[in-house]
Amino acid sequence: MKHHTTNPHIRNIAIIAHVDHGKTTLVDFMLRQSGIFRENQDVDERVMDSMDLERERGITIAAKNCSVLWKDVKINILDTPGHADFGGEVERALAMVDGAILLVDAAEGPLPQTRFVLRKALESKLPIIVVINKIDRKDARPQEVLNAIYDLFIDLDATEDQIDFPVLYAVGREGMVKRSLDDTASDLSVLLDTIIDEVPPPHYDERKPFQMLVADLDYSDFLGRLAVGKIHHGTAHRNDDLVCLNEDGQALPLRISKLQVYDGIAFKEVDSAPPGDIIILSGIQDVEIGDTICTKEAPEAIKRITVDEPTVSMMFTINTSPLSGRDGKFVQSGKIRERLVKETLGNVAIRVEDAPGGDKFIVKGRGEFQMVILIETMRREGYELSVGRPQVIFKERNGAQVEPIEHVFIDCGDGFLGIVTEKLSRRKGRMLNLVNHGSGRIRLEFSIPTRGLIGYRSEFLTDTKGTGIMNSYLQGYEEHRGEFATRLTGSLVADRPGAAVAYALSNLEPRGVLFVVPGDPVYEGMIVGEHNRENDIDVNPTKEKKLTNMRAAGKDDAVQLTPVVPMTLERAIEFIKDDELVEVTPKIVRLRKAVLSATAREKIWRSTL
């Protein structure tokens, strides 16, 4: 006879939503309604987006957790990122929950990135509650969106129980959820009640001793490594002597020095925690995601969390430019390596390897966007480094080389169909579907190699005048589709150090698009612009006008230069070729050749002829 029982006082749920469908705002109101904040407490909007980057971009990057109390039931809410590049975060969050809320915008409907997270949730056999948000939008079409959600569930091979999901309608920013469009509601009671009714409480075996799967890691400067996970069986007590079973099956002894649980958006220290609750343990140094923490007497490992393989790699190295060390606090390779290794401790989707050459590191991850976020976070922390162009990771299957293929969804004006199709087919993309509702906008689907998307996003926004929406997820691996040219333009490369001068730049403008403004420091090998032809050319952006004819002296002030769009990290990483690097400091992003000396570059070029 099985001794399985449930803990009715706990529910663990994940929230799945596409970027900007209102997930973080909804969680804000759930926290408010459950009385987490005092009446007079000053509360930030979007309290769950705690990183500066998340607030600026309006996206969730790291999955964060919180809890609310409703009718004596503690609901642990896990926020999952909606972007497929952060899939490593998603799998860990789903390992800790017993149900999920799918939040969908009433106008946009389910979008591709939602599909990625939803597929993972359905594979984990989780019951789903569907919430159609923003029903107050002028262009809301809740009934059509609901049909699209049913189609999506069927497409993802959901079971009959999963397809029979409850549907709620919400206006997240007013903190209101109702059961049907005609109902009246003023708060989130319906949603909180539905969670308690529909999401099963956590199961555990009352005979088994304490056992927990480490699903997330955190780091505290005061407490060291923190292991986060759901208690599968038994009760946790502070000062318990336990063991951690690692990937090799070794039992490492450990003692719980501090036991914490989620209380609103903060941690609360407790002496013990019941089965089914999500806890944060400190006192463990050598712990990895997927490890099992259990008692010495009955060491039994829980099935490890597996994570999708990385698809893109990038080279990180120290900044070797003549301008290095001016802005950054951390410039040594040891510091950069330490920071990258620290990132892998809390982020399973990122891996770091030492590259030959001592000061170089190969960082592997899910996509260029994930890499950009890592580099942007590092530069804000005071790091200075150089990074190379993202490279796709190929694999061998049955003796043939295979490469990652993305399924791309594009939503744009019908006038841009020609240019989008032409650019994607040039990058070995194949059109799978074209839908034209006659509304002036069309939806396209392509299957395209991951390397075809590197560098395409900014081009796509330019081609569609900033109105196009593009999303993709990893479809799988296929045979190599052949080579294609990625960038059809060359670079304007400075041939000497100095400061850029307006007169020199005005003479360079006909050659292409400039990246520097008068007064900017330049050095030999630095890329100062994009050449409008295929080849690179060495130029002198520091050349001043010879003032032999004094009558023209005043005309120098009248040089009119085209305004320069400031170089962003994303644009820089998409722009560079294989023999170029991006120099990243806390204050500025510059582009440069990997080999700075013009004569050395010429020697390399001649040796390839």
Side-chain angles (χ1 to χ4, degrees):
M1 175 187 153
K2 287 196 170 176
H3 288 255
H4 276 276
T5 181
T6 58
N7 183 347
H9 302 297
I10 291 177
R11 299 290 186 280
N12 297 320
I13 60 157
I15 297 196
I16 299 169
H18 188 79
V19 176
D20 206 28
H21 278 200
K23 171 177 56 179
T24 309
T25 307
L26 189 71
V27 173
D28 269 5
F29 275 99
M30 288 167 85
L31 289 162
R32 285 177 197 189
Q33 191 169 332
S34 65
I36 292 295
F37 304 126
R38 297 188 310 276
E39 286 298 313
N40 59 352
Q41 192 170 343
D42 192 21
V43 180
D44 277 342
E45 287 277 314
R46 303 207 329 266
V47 73
M48 295 285 278
D49 280 350
S50 53
M51 290 162 65
D52 288 344
L53 261 178
E54 295 181 310
R55 290 182 166 279
E56 285 168 29
R57 290 169 181 255
I59 61 169
T60 297
I61 293 166
K64 284 168 296 292
N65 312 340
C66 64
S67 75
V68 301
L69 199 63
W70 184 249
K71 297 184 178 171
D72 291 334
V73 175
K74 179 182 181 185
I75 303 173
N76 285 314
I77 302 167
L78 276 64
D79 196 5
T80 63
H83 200 287
D85 273 14
F86 304 106
E89 305 280 339
V90 172
E91 279 135 75
R92 302 198 306 241
L94 296 182
M96 293 189 271
V97 298
D98 303 295
I101 292 175
L102 173 64
L103 190 66
V104 180
D105 186 303
E108 292 181 9
L111 289 176
Q113 301 292 19
T114 322
R115 182 190 183 103
F116 173 84
V117 189
L118 182 62
R119 189 178 79 226
K120 298 277 181 199
L122 292 172
E123 282 170 6
S124 306
K125 305 273 187 289
L126 298 177
I128 311 279
I129 298 168
V130 171
V131 179
I132 297 178
N133 192 22
K134 305 190 185 182
I135 52 170
D136 57 333
R137 278 180 62 158
K138 285 193 182 71
D139 53 352
R141 45 189 189 100
Q143 199 48 52
E144 288 172 47
V145 166
L146 182 55
N147 292 339
I149 295 170
Y150 278 117
D151 291 345
L152 176 60
F153 270 68
I154 292 164
D155 195 26
L156 293 175
D157 296 329
T159 62
E160 284 191 17
D161 288 348
Q162 286 171 326
I163 292 177
D164 190 18
F165 49 75
V167 183
L168 304 174
Y169 299 90
V171 182
R173 60 181 182 188
E174 290 173 19
M176 179 199 85
V177 175
K178 48 196 187 178
R179 288 191 195 281
S180 75
L181 291 167
D182 312 330
D183 284 3
T184 52
S186 57
D187 60 13
L188 299 179
S189 308
V190 169
L191 175 61
L192 294 164
D193 287 342
T194 307
I195 291 170
I196 290 173
D197 297 340
E198 297 288 338
V199 176
H203 281 263
Y204 65 96
D205 188 333
E206 54 197 14
R207 296 169 309 162
K208 284 195 175 179
F210 174 75
Q211 197 185 24
M212 150 188 168
L213 179 69
V214 179
D216 205 351
L217 293 177
D218 212 335
Y219 185 82
S220 151
D221 291 335
F222 305 107
L223 303 167
R225 292 294 281 280
L226 302 175
V228 182
K230 181 172 86 169
I231 303 178
H232 279 246
H233 306 290
T235 304
H237 300 278
R238 191 168 46 189
N239 296 332
D240 270 357
D241 285 315
L242 302 168
V243 291
C244 171
L245 302 178
N246 64 15
E247 199 165 359
D248 304 327
Q250 290 173 300
L252 309 171
L254 65 95
R255 174 171 241 199
I256 302 177
S257 60
K258 197 168 190 182
L259 175 63
Q260 301 177 98
V261 294
Y262 290 104
D263 182 35
I265 49 170
F267 292 165
K268 180 171 79 173
E269 200 174 338
V270 289
D271 290 325
S272 66
D277 205 353
I278 293 173
I279 57 171
I280 303 100
L281 298 181
S282 28
I284 315 158
Q285 285 317 308
D286 306 316
V287 64
E288 298 292 335
I289 286 173
D291 289 356
T292 300
I293 294 174
C294 52
T295 59
K296 280 189 249 184
E297 295 75 36
E300 187 188 337
I302 302 170
K303 185 171 176 277
R304 291 184 79 84
I305 302 173
T306 54
V307 180
D308 287 353
E309 291 290 306
T311 53
V312 172
S313 72
M314 259 174 103
M315 188 193 68
F316 283 50
T317 177
I318 53 173
N319 184 9
T320 54
S321 92
L323 302 177
S324 69
R326 295 189 180 187
D327 306 338
K329 275 193 295 188
F330 309 111
V331 292
Q332 308 91 332
S333 61
K335 290 283 183 197
I336 293 172
R337 183 176 194 280
E338 206 176 283
R339 176 63 183 81
L340 290 172
V341 169
K342 186 179 170 188
E343 186 68 24
T344 62
L345 298 180
N347 188 343
V348 262
I350 283 190
R351 296 176 196 174
V352 176
E353 295 167 10
D354 290 329
D359 294 334
K360 298 184 176 137
F361 314 102
I362 303 290
V363 180
K364 297 180 174 178
R366 287 289 181 80
E368 57 183 308
F369 186 51
Q370 187 188 33
M371 299 291 189
V372 166
I373 296 294
L374 170 59
I375 299 163
E376 184 66 55
T377 310
M378 284 176 71
R379 72 183 279 215
R380 289 176 185 217
E381 291 169 7
Y383 287 84
E384 197 169 298
L385 62 155
S386 297
V387 297
R389 178 177 167 79
Q391 304 289 344
V392 165
I393 300 169
F394 296 108
K395 289 185 173 183
E396 282 267 322
R397 274 203 193 142
N398 304 329
Q401 191 183 48
V402 291
E403 64 173 334
I405 302 286
E406 307 266 344
H407 193 125
V408 183
F409 295 78
I410 286 175
D411 184 325
C412 66
D414 51 16
F416 305 120
L417 171 64
I419 189 158
V420 169
T421 312
E422 182 199 335
K423 291 269 177 84
L424 286 178
S425 51
R426 200 185 290 162
R427 291 163 173 264
K428 303 291 181 192
R430 297 173 189 159
M431 190 190 285
L432 303 173
N433 196 6
L434 165 63
V435 181
N436 188 347
H437 291 303
S439 60
R441 286 186 80 79
I442 50 173
R443 292 195 79 159
L444 300 161
E445 285 180 47
F446 282 84
S447 123
I448 184 171
T450 301
R451 61 198 165 99
L453 287 182
I454 293 175
Y456 177 63
R457 282 174 203 279
S458 55
E459 214 177 298
F460 169 73
L461 283 173
T462 310
D463 291 345
T464 59
K465 308 276 193 290
T467 61
I469 301 167
M470 179 165 87
N471 289 294
S472 64
Y473 67 87
L474 182 67
Q475 186 179 314
Y477 284 78
E478 279 181 27
E479 272 193 30
H480 193 272
R481 288 196 185 174
E483 295 305 325
F484 53 83
T486 46
R487 195 175 108 204
L488 303 173
T489 54
S491 302
L492 301 175
V493 186
D495 64 357
R496 67 198 70 195
V501 173
Y503 170 71
L505 296 180
S506 70
N507 287 330
L508 291 178
E509 274 199 337
R511 294 287 179 91
V513 180
L514 296 179
F515 300 152
V516 293
V517 295
D520 277 355
V522 298
Y523 53 82
E524 183 183 9
M526 178 171 152
I527 298 168
V528 294
E530 178 178 8
H531 189 202
N532 46 24
R533 297 198 179 163
E534 282 181 36
N535 58 321
D536 296 345
I537 52 169
D538 291 326
V539 296
N540 178 7
T542 66
K543 185 178 177 186
E544 299 194 355
K545 186 172 184 186
K546 299 270 187 294
L547 294 180
T548 48
N549 186 340
M550 293 312 287
R551 282 169 304 172
K555 282 193 177 173
D556 252 18
D557 307 331
V559 170
Q560 291 289 320
L561 292 172
T562 310
V564 170
V565 180
M567 181 56 73
T568 63
L569 190 55
E570 269 149 299
R571 227 178 102 215
I573 286 173
E574 289 183 349
F575 176 81
I576 57 173
K577 292 182 180 171
D578 290 342
D579 66 336
E580 297 169 349
L581 297 173
V582 180
E583 177 188 346
V584 185
T585 80
K587 292 186 183 163
I588 199 155
V589 172
R590 297 186 189 94
L591 303 173
R592 51 164 283 192
K593 286 289 180 186
V595 177
L596 293 178
S597 153
T599 45
R601 284 200 309 276
E602 185 153 347
K603 272 184 193 164
I604 293 169
W605 177 70
R606 287 190 186 287
S607 69
T608 60
L609 294 177

